[in-house]
Amino acid sequence: MAQERALPPVVERLWGREPVSRRGPRPRLDLGMITSAAIEIADAEGLTGVSMASVASRVGVAATALYRYVGSKEDLLTAMVDFVVSAPPDPAGRPWRDYLALWTRAQRDTLLEHPWLLQIARLTPPLGPRRLLWLDRLLAALDGVGLDDGEKINVASALTGYALTDAALVTTVGGGEPQFDDAGIEGADDYGEVLAGLLDPEAYPALSAAVRGGALRGAEGWVDDGDFRFGLELLLDGVEALISRRASGEDAG
Amino acid sequence: MAQERALPPVVERLWGREPVSRRGPRPRLDLGMITSAAIEIADAEGLTGVSMASVASRVGVAATALYRYVGSKEDLLTAMVDFVVSAPPDPAGRPWRDYLALWTRAQRDTLLEHPWLLQIARLTPPLGPRRLLWLDRLLAALDGVGLDDGEKINVASALTGYALTDAALVTTVGGGEPQFDDAGIEGADDYGEVLAGLLDPEAYPALSAAVRGGALRGAEGWVDDGDFRFGLELLLDGVEALISRRASGEDAG
DNA sequence: TTGAAACTATGAACGTCATACACAGTACGC
DNA sequence: GCGTACTGTGTATGACGTTCATAGTTTCAA
């Protein structure tokens, strides 16, 4: 109820609280139009294509006009992160484990569809309406399993982190267009071979052995969908272990 | 042995393979000096303080001289990521679970000591000698538990991702100086209160309830060290579950 | 010992970009 | 209708990454 907080103005706008102008010309834009334009550019050309000028020209105004709506380019990026997120799946009637898997996979898919998200290192706790909705649904899905709210939030955090890591892996080494075309590996079918050329077996015994064994050969080593499931089940097994521990009346460490 | 690969030149230099110059003046610098200077600046002033000019002036050359050693600023950032990493702990004689915990915690600590790392969204598979050494040690620690190399690497990947997520959380919402001072929350003892002011209980029922219950009150909700351990044990429980599944002779899904 | 070759650092210049500011135009309230 | 408050524009600025021609320096070969 103490709503008089000093929120960043972009966040206010994200929640639909655009300032009500009584006098003056109608604003030609709103945060949504600007952000959508920016997202379209990022999807098409990558984040490097997103400049204040390019976004402005796409919505048909001068570059400096955008500053009526966002305080800075950082603000715009923040808004983009919230706006790309679609509506979370509905947890109603789903077993928690299924829902968590679905939830995490959907997050990963979003990251894969908009790889530039990975370049916006905005691992900040979310404040936008869309991302918070995801959190809400996860909490709802975990209702009644015996975890407290803090634990549920930690679970959410771990899952989000995993989605991020995996998406980053897939994007850089395996999947589609190389988004980070700079110091990464290109197609990297040969990541293993590259490593084999670099590693001194004496200094890196275990890794050398793994490479020789072919564990990193191309897509098989890193970017398989099976690999995603693997880590996901790892996490979910952990959650399940915790839940049954709680159910048997133990306390936390 | 097929060493004639087209590696990015920075990577070559990371492995100590500076080109041997027969003619001409001795190079006044090497990649290590440049990268160390950049790291010192980043530690002191944040990543925004790191410009080609500032790094160059710190090592006592003109800005453009750096381009003899790094192809671009991106390259420099890549080198920084490898150089900040210290030596991994020794797995010898440690139970795998202890070592994995230690390993993950050490990675998180590095991230907390150098928060600018989080802003370099370089979740790329590592190619530098230092980061690969960490991977090697993790593989060694998991020797003989019954996982194949691919699975071990997936475990490493999940743990690294978790360290990253947690460090990001701690850095932005709780811990030290606000590194992302832009659209984040400042001290955020009041993240919960901020949320309370934003959330419509009808649209966000579970989250509102959690907030009212105080699950997000200040440092308790997010940034406790207990929270880090919580997620970590989650993951390790998952690994343990997998290991015993493998031990009982099952196959993967 | 001398000269050329190979390589290093420099300084100026360029293009891009985010952003500040003063101004002009526009709609609403009285 | 007049003032006011607000919107979009144009210009300008400063920072930054990067390129290029140049001058300087060290080593090799004769």
Side-chain angles (χ1 to χ4, degrees), chain A residues 23-25 27-28 61-62 64-65 68-69:
Chain A
R23 299 256 213 294
R28 275 232 296 278
V61 297
T64 58
R68 299 265 162 216
Y69 303 88

